Amino acid sequence: MSGQRVFVARLAGCLVFDPVGDRVGKVRDVVVVFRADAPPRVVGLVVEIPGKRRVFVSITRVTSIGAGQVITTGLINVRRFEPRAGEVRVIAEILGRELAFRDGSGTATIEDVAITQAPSGLWDVTQLFVRRPKTSSSPFAKGATQFVAWSEMRETDAAAGAPQSAEQLIATYTDLKPADLASSLLELPKERRVEVAAELPNERLADALEEMQEQDQVELLRTLDDERVADVLDQMQPDDAADLFAQLPRAEREHLLELMEPEEAEDVRRLLNYAPNSAGGLMTTEPVIMSADATVAEALALIRQEELAPALGAAVFLTLPPYEPPTGRFLGTVHYQRMLRHPPHERLGGLVDQGLEPVMVNASIAEVSRTLASYNLVSVPVVDDAGRLVGVVTIDDILDHLLPDDWRRRDGEDAALKRSAAARTGSIGIIGRR
């Protein structure tokens, strides 16, 4: 295996297996340490194991890298990865960095990093795939690319103080689900997190923010300018945006609401009027609402929309006009599964679940939870004193409030995870990190 070369950007996402072929997880990053007179040395991999936990796997536990997979000895520690002093993640912290050529021919941006196995069996950074600045004024032009040895590049004082490009890192996040994207952002060094957030599209950043704790949301948004914050808030679900707004001082809250789109701001204002631990404070104001005369075919077309969350697509809610919350009088709920059992031309008014009653806007979390559990629901309609539909509470809204505040950051003491690791075939042991 001596001399084998692997590019880190291509290694990201590769499956990791133990010696008997059981899947351990996926590679998410490569950890290196810098050396004074030699290229950086690889010390290990960041591997995502079941439960979306990212752990450290020492490079000495890796027996093979190649053919789109990594083979380990099976000995891992399930404690969440925390970088030690001097350790640097290639994807999170090196890709996108600008370096200067030692021969004085200019600068270039790192787009990929090659690691090579030495005769000793250890891995070192040997080559960089870099892109020089573009020489054309065309917006579609790109600079020339080339492979260079690590020894041919250096980081100047100017480059060290310049903002690091996040383009390559964001490209590795393309396929991540919102919850995984949120975890990846929070694991980045603060400066790098700010850079990545600044580069993410509004909708993508909004998705990630919805999966963070309110304190993390506020901390990240305070690094952006107010107009960008308002644009991101416009993309968030109204109930998530309202939870975030509740953490802000009144003056700052009003300023941001003025910058948001009027319709989105109105939804948030309405939710802020309800107690946080009531059905009104938990609900989303964007359920699928239709008339009783609509057909099954029309309803299925609406819930087929890709941007609709699964919990909101599980049912449609019938009301009298108007069909925007607060609606006309609430008529009932029609479940997706029941629609599938009827012909496309069937009217929704004849398919209403007669046994399901809505909850009042001031209902407690306990009452909403009992309703969801008693009737095996993923969403429950919320009405006001006049019987108008004002929103829907979904099961994920309830779970966010019932789980511990730090449920997204549970560490290795999670008993269920330990039992899962111990129950494996025996090829995976739990050891110290080094």
Side-chain angles (χ1 to χ4, degrees):
M1 290 174 52
S2 298
Q4 179 186 5
R5 185 177 67 172
V6 176
F7 284 94
V8 172
R10 297 179 184 177
L11 184 61
C14 287
L15 296 178
V16 181
F17 297 92
D18 65 17
V20 297
D22 288 335
R23 177 174 167 177
V24 176
K26 287 184 179 181
V27 177
R28 289 304 183 193
D29 216 326
V30 174
V31 183
V32 302
V33 292
F34 287 90
R35 297 181 290 175
D37 300 315
R41 169 144 290 170
V42 178
V43 294
L45 308 177
V46 178
V47 175
E48 183 180 285
I49 62 175
K52 304 300 181 183
R53 186 183 303 273
R54 295 192 177 193
V55 302
F56 178 85
V57 176
S58 173
I59 196 66
T60 60
R61 304 291 176 183
V62 175
T63 59
S64 172
I65 300 178
Q69 64 183 17
V70 175
I71 308 298
T72 72
T73 62
L75 300 174
I76 66 171
N77 186 331
V78 296
R79 182 180 300 128
R80 187 179 297 277
F81 168 73
E82 294 287 347
R84 294 180 174 180
E87 293 180 342
V88 180
R89 284 164 287 177
V90 173
I91 294 176
E93 301 176 73
I94 293 182
L95 297 191
R97 179 174 294 179
E98 185 178 72
L99 300 178
F101 287 89
R102 292 187 181 276
D103 61 8
S105 61
T107 62
T109 301
I110 302 174
E111 294 205 344
D112 206 348
V113 172
I115 58 174
T116 303
Q117 190 175 34
S120 63
L122 297 176
W123 293 76
D124 296 325
V125 172
T126 53
Q127 273 193 317
L128 304 174
F129 179 67
V130 301
R131 185 180 298 276
R132 290 180 179 268
K134 66 178 184 179
T135 56
S136 169
S137 59
S138 169
F140 304 104
K142 291 186 177 181
T145 58
Q146 65 183 99
F147 291 97
V148 297
W150 176 267
S151 59
E152 295 178 47
M153 308 296 293
R154 63 182 176 85
E155 186 171 25
T156 64
D157 293 338
Q164 186 177 343
S165 169
E167 183 178 349
Q168 284 76 28
L169 178 56
I170 290 174
T172 68
Y173 290 163
T174 301
D175 297 327
L176 292 183
K177 294 183 180 297
D180 299 332
L181 175 58
S183 296
S184 297
L185 286 175
L186 293 175
E187 289 171 355
L188 294 174
K190 184 176 180 180
E191 296 78 8
R192 187 61 162 154
R193 188 187 313 153
V194 172
E195 295 161 2
V196 173
E199 296 285 343
L200 279 172
N202 292 336
E203 184 176 357
R204 193 79 167 122
L205 181 56
D207 289 341
L209 286 170
E210 290 175 354
E211 301 297 331
M212 297 181 185
Q213 296 181 45
E214 285 82 0
Q215 63 186 31
D216 293 323
Q217 293 174 333
V218 173
E219 181 182 347
L220 187 54
L221 287 180
R222 288 196 190 282
T223 66
L224 308 175
D225 62 74
D226 290 349
E227 287 76 13
R228 174 78 195 286
V229 172
D231 290 340
V232 172
L233 290 170
D234 281 333
Q235 299 296 323
M236 293 180 68
Q237 290 293 324
D239 55 326
D240 291 307
D243 289 341
L244 192 158
F245 269 104
Q247 310 301 313
L248 302 176
R250 182 177 296 274
E252 185 177 355
R253 183 191 310 171
E254 289 301 320
H255 174 62
L256 290 174
L257 285 169
E258 290 295 329
L259 293 176
M260 290 176 64
E261 292 294 328
E263 290 185 3
E264 302 296 337
E266 181 59 30
D267 287 339
V268 174
R269 289 182 193 276
R270 187 162 61 248
L271 290 172
L272 288 171
N273 290 327
Y274 302 115
N277 293 329
S278 68
L282 295 175
M283 69 185 182
T284 178
T285 57
E286 298 181 345
V288 180
I289 303 172
M290 305 188 74
S291 96
D293 291 329
T295 65
V296 167
E298 291 170 329
L300 293 177
L302 277 181
I303 64 176
R304 194 178 291 126
Q305 297 177 72
E306 183 177 356
E307 63 272 16
L308 190 66
L312 290 177
V316 299
F317 302 92
L318 308 184
T319 72
L320 296 178
Y323 300 113
E324 292 289 335
T327 67
R329 183 168 61 86
F330 176 67
L331 300 177
T333 304
V334 180
H335 302 290
Y336 161 70
Q337 192 176 34
R338 187 169 189 184
M339 287 188 279
L340 293 179
R341 295 196 292 264
H342 291 267
H345 62 268
E346 189 82 18
R347 300 292 177 182
L348 296 179
L351 307 180
V352 170
D353 183 348
Q354 301 293 342
L356 176 61
E357 294 292 330
V359 297
M360 297 299 295
V361 71
N362 58 355
S364 66
I365 290 181
E367 182 180 343
V368 176
S369 301
R370 282 194 296 268
T371 300
L372 288 168
S374 297
Y375 299 102
N376 298 317
L377 302 172
V378 294
S379 64
V380 61
V382 181
V383 297
D384 61 13
D385 292 336
R388 302 177 301 176
L389 182 70
V390 291
V392 171
V393 177
T394 58
I395 188 67
D396 57 299
D397 296 325
I398 290 294
L399 288 175
D400 281 344
H401 283 74
L402 295 182
L403 288 171
D405 291 339
D406 63 344
W407 69 268
R408 292 183 176 90
R409 293 183 173 182
R410 299 306 295 269
D411 275 328
E413 64 269 20
D414 188 331
L417 183 59
K418 285 186 175 181
R419 287 195 299 270
S420 175
R424 290 184 62 80
T425 60
S427 59
I428 294 183
I430 300 178
I431 62 170
R433 175 162 167 188
R434 294 288 190 266

